[in-house]
Amino acid sequence: KSCATIESGKWVGPARSAAAGEVIEVNQALGDKPRIVNDDPYGSGWIVVLKPDDWTSVKSGLTPGTEVSAAYEAKMEADEFAGCEVE
């Protein structure tokens, strides 16, 4: 499900949620400072708080970041990609 619409310099599209459910809170600060999503995605850059309909089923299908980061880092190294510069 889509929980928001994201707009970048060259793209507009949905921000998808892994779970269906009820949006119980929206980060109103993003209206004034949308860059917070990029600057602090795991802190003040959150988009919505969602009350999932069936968290147990959804949770079993998610992969923790600790289990995927090594694969992404290996791909970046193989492609000789040093990362993106932060302005």
Side-chain angles (χ1 to χ4, degrees):
K1 297 274 182 176
S2 174
C3 62
T5 299
I6 303 293
E7 180 178 344
S8 71
K10 297 181 181 181
W11 179 81
V12 175
R16 301 193 192 274
S17 170
E22 177 185 358
V23 173
I24 58 174
E25 190 173 355
V26 175
N27 188 351
Q28 299 297 330
L30 298 180
D32 295 329
K33 297 178 83 178
R35 187 167 178 87
I36 298 170
V37 171
N38 294 332
D39 294 341
D40 190 16
Y42 298 106
S44 60
W46 60 275
I47 298 172
V48 297
V49 175
L50 182 74
K51 180 179 178 186
D53 291 337
D54 184 7
W55 177 241
T56 303
S57 295
V58 173
K59 185 178 179 184
S60 66
L62 298 176
T63 303
T66 55
E67 292 180 19
V68 297
S69 61
Y72 282 111
E73 289 174 12
K75 171 86 170 115
M76 288 173 59
E77 186 173 321
D79 292 348
E80 297 180 359
F81 179 68
C84 299
E85 288 186 35
V86 177
E87 295 177 15

